[in-house]
Amino acid sequence: MACFLYFIPGLSGPADGELVNRGLADVLGFREDGHVGYGPFRSIDSGPGGKPGVLLAAAGCHLPDFDAESQKWYPAGSEPDDKKYWFGFVTATPPTPDDLARDRQVPGNVVRLGDGRQWHVPIARNCPRSRGLSPEGFKTDDPLPQYQKLFDMALEVWNCYDAIAAKMRLEKRDEEIPQEILDGVIDSDREMEILVECLRTNYRLGEYEIRALGLFDDTCEESVLRVLIDFEGYKELVKGEKARREGQDEKKKHT
């Protein structure tokens, strides 16, 4: 099984606190015992960048020796003093969706991404929910805490689609566009954050790993966002409602 390899300079072994502080807990996930889900590791005298540190992989992965010739490595941060960790993979066998899939997947649809492979993108309304009570005694039906961020982002994308549609209608009529509509359109940096969260939900990936694999480009990004908000499902719902109303109108004509 191919996987990402991680190197943390200056450490002799992985520690939960260090992995969390360096942003690796979101990628590796957590085990049932609450610890960060790292697997095999070993201390090495010289890794990427020529420094000593700890080399590790996710749980269930094989950990090869560090070999700069056969592996591709990237620093997680572009500035020399911002290298929280390094990550890489064996050049001949980059990780695939099957290699990186989390044990628990949020149902959705597959989208062909920039690497030419099919990745399972979650539909936000399929996120597992908890049915409980608020402190005021109101019934609640909210996504589990680990999925709340994705759910909120889906609402943001949906509102963005509404804002863009409103903007296009006003432009067509040559009317002034209110600032609240312009504020509703997501910029490219925020869009990337949402795209990353879509994949991170179902795969052991972060933004650095996604960029290294070349998963996002202009040909697939909108498809990912449409799956997130189930845009096709919404269109089918509207289509079915329209057919139902037309059927009722036709029936009235003959009564």
Side-chain angles (χ1 to χ4, degrees):
M1 172 169 122
C3 65
F4 279 106
L5 311 173
Y6 295 93
F7 174 74
I8 305 177
L11 295 184
S12 58
D16 282 4
E18 288 288 348
L19 296 176
V20 170
N21 291 338
R22 295 169 191 260
L24 278 170
D26 286 342
V27 176
L28 297 172
F30 291 88
R31 302 195 299 256
E32 291 184 359
D33 61 6
H35 291 288
V36 178
Y38 60 85
F41 67 91
R42 70 174 65 97
S43 178
I44 58 177
D45 294 331
S46 180
K51 295 182 178 180
V54 62
L55 183 70
L56 62 90
C61 292
H62 168 67
L63 182 64
D65 292 331
F66 170 66
D67 180 8
E69 295 298 320
S70 64
Q71 297 163 357
K72 187 176 291 188
W73 285 90
Y74 301 88
S78 58
E79 299 299 327
D81 58 354
D82 189 34
K83 294 177 181 177
K84 299 178 182 178
Y85 60 88
W86 290 70
F87 70 99
F89 54 87
V90 177
T91 307
T93 56
T96 68
D98 287 342
D99 297 325
L100 299 171
R102 296 190 189 274
D103 293 335
R104 188 172 192 176
Q105 298 260 308
V106 174
N109 290 315
V110 295
V111 176
R112 187 182 301 278
L113 299 185
D115 65 340
R117 293 186 171 93
Q118 302 273 11
W119 295 76
H120 194 97
V121 177
I123 293 174
R125 62 177 173 79
N126 291 337
C127 288
R129 293 173 175 270
S130 173
R131 291 174 174 82
L133 287 174
S134 72
E136 298 78 20
F138 295 107
K139 297 176 183 178
T140 61
D141 185 16
D142 299 323
L144 295 179
Q146 61 266 42
Y147 300 109
Q148 187 65 55
K149 182 178 180 180
L150 180 75
F151 193 82
D152 291 343
M153 285 179 164
L155 291 177
E156 187 177 345
V157 172
W158 184 261
N159 291 335
C160 175
Y161 271 69
D162 275 350
I164 291 173
K167 180 174 178 291
M168 292 174 65
R169 288 194 298 269
L170 292 174
E171 284 178 339
K172 189 175 182 180
R173 297 198 297 262
D174 197 26
E175 296 182 29
E176 184 177 352
I177 302 169
Q179 186 61 43
E180 58 265 24
I181 289 180
L182 295 176
D183 290 342
V185 179
I186 299 171
D187 63 30
S188 59
D189 289 341
R190 181 57 174 167
E191 181 182 60
M192 186 62 184
E193 290 178 11
I194 296 171
L195 291 168
V196 168
E197 188 66 19
C198 286
L199 282 197
R200 194 194 68 79
T201 298
N202 282 344
Y203 298 96
R204 295 193 301 269
L205 285 168
E207 182 173 357
Y208 289 125
E209 291 86 351
I210 287 170
R211 288 182 178 275
L213 293 177
L215 299 186
F216 289 137
D217 57 41
D218 292 341
T219 67
C220 63
E221 291 175 356
E222 186 172 357
S223 296
V224 172
L225 297 179
R226 283 174 174 253
V227 170
L228 174 65
I229 62 174
D230 195 19
F231 190 75
E232 295 304 316
Y234 170 74
K235 288 200 305 183
E236 287 299 314
L237 184 65
V238 171
K239 183 178 177 181
E241 179 62 19
K242 181 180 178 181
R244 186 186 66 82
R245 290 179 179 177
E246 290 175 348
Q248 289 179 339
D249 292 342
E250 190 65 25
K251 187 176 180 180
K252 289 179 181 179
K253 291 179 182 179
H254 295 87
T255 57

